[in-house]
């Protein structure tokens, strides 16, 4: 839950507790999930190499060893996110493409975030705007299919920010306003705080 909402500190604390519990009772699957969350948290805290180590351990040792491909789309997305933060954009894109390949075997959960990250990396690589926007549109379409409003907002934020960076505040506001007003709670979460900040930036540019 904390990981989905990008609440890094609470997610890290919960992961540490889950790791200790799983190791004590021999819960291999739970241990893998907890190590993955800890790895993601370490990356967000700037300890990228340590985070990559945890995430790769889950993929290379636990998941492959026990023959499960469950959540592999999610795991490869996190690995891609780590390498993006490290500045290795091509490797990040490679892992995102791998995440997409697992979508039919490990479930489509988190696929919207994969496409959103793909758009972000493509933008950093200087790809044509049409290609970047296509990735954001894929992310939004998948999120809508899953009725995953938070993931829809996440991709919409990135697309709106692209509009703002290109001097199109009206287009950004048109994307953001319907989603921001839809949420009646959770406005303290990272994604909604970002949405409010982007919307305020758009309105400031329009005045």
């Amino acid at each position: 839950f904390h990981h989905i909402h990008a609440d890094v500190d609470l997610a890290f604390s919960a992961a540490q507790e889950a790791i200790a519990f799983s190791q004590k009772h021999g819960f291999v699957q739970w241990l893998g999930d907890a190590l993955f969350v800890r790895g993601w948290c370490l990356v967000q805290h700037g300890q990228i190499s340590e985070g990559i180590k945890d995430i790769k351990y889950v993929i290379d040792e636990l998941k492959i060893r026990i023959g499960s491909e469950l959540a592999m789309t999610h795991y490869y997305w996190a690995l891609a996110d780590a390498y993006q933060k490290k500045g290795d954009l091509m490797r990040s894109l490679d892992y995102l493409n791998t995440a997409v390949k697992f979508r039919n075997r490990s479930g489509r959960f988190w696929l919207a975030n994969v496409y959103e990250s793909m758009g972000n990396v493509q933008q950093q690589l200087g790809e044509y705007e049409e290609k970047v926007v296509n990735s954001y549109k894929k992310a939004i379409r998948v999120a809508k299919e899953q009725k995953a409003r938070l993931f829809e907002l996440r991709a919409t934020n990135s697309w709106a920010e692209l509009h703002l960076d290109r001097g199109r505040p009206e287009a950004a506001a048109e994307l953001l306003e319907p989603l921001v007003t839809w949420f009646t709670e959770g406005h303290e979460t990272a994604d909604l705080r970002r949405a409010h900040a982007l919307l305020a930036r758009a309105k400031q540019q329009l005045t």
Side-chain angles (χ1 to χ4, degrees), residues 166-184:
R166 302 295 168 89
R168 299 188 293 264
E170 187 173 354
E174 285 177 1
L175 282 173
L176 289 166
E177 280 183 325
L179 272 176
V180 170
T181 55
W182 182 88
F183 285 92
T184 58

Side-chain angles (χ1 to χ4, degrees), residues 151-168:
F151 296 166
E152 182 184 349
L153 177 65
R154 195 167 289 172
T156 300
N157 279 342
S158 291
W159 190 4
E161 188 165 22
L162 176 63
H163 278 310
L164 288 170
D165 290 343
R166 302 295 168 89
R168 299 188 293 264

Side-chain angles (χ1 to χ4, degrees), residues 112-132:
N113 290 314
V114 172
Y115 285 129
E116 187 253 341
S117 292
M118 194 172 286
N120 294 340
V121 173
Q122 289 166 339
Q123 189 178 172
Q124 285 182 270
L125 286 169
E127 296 280 5
Y128 289 113
E129 184 173 344
E130 183 180 358
K131 190 172 184 178
V132 175

Side-chain angles (χ1 to χ4, degrees), residues 1-16 37-38 40-42 44-45 77 110 150-151 154 186-193:
F1 176 82
H2 302 305
H3 164 54
I4 291 171
H5 286 269
D7 193 329
V8 181
D9 292 333
L10 286 175
F12 184 79
S13 179
Q16 291 289 74
V37 173
R38 185 180 72 178
W40 174 82
C41 291
L42 288 170
Q44 308 316 304
H45 279 139
W77 165 84
W110 216 263
L150 182 64
F151 296 166
R154 195 167 289 172
H187 288 271
E188 73 286 350
T189 61
D191 294 295
L192 272 166
R193 288 200 310 269

Side-chain angles (χ1 to χ4, degrees), residues 133-151:
V133 169
N134 187 50
S135 293
Y136 292 149
K137 286 181 176 179
K138 284 181 181 178
I140 291 168
R141 185 178 69 247
V142 171
K144 284 182 175 179
E145 288 171 358
Q146 297 175 339
K147 295 180 173 56
R149 284 284 189 168
L150 182 64
F151 296 166

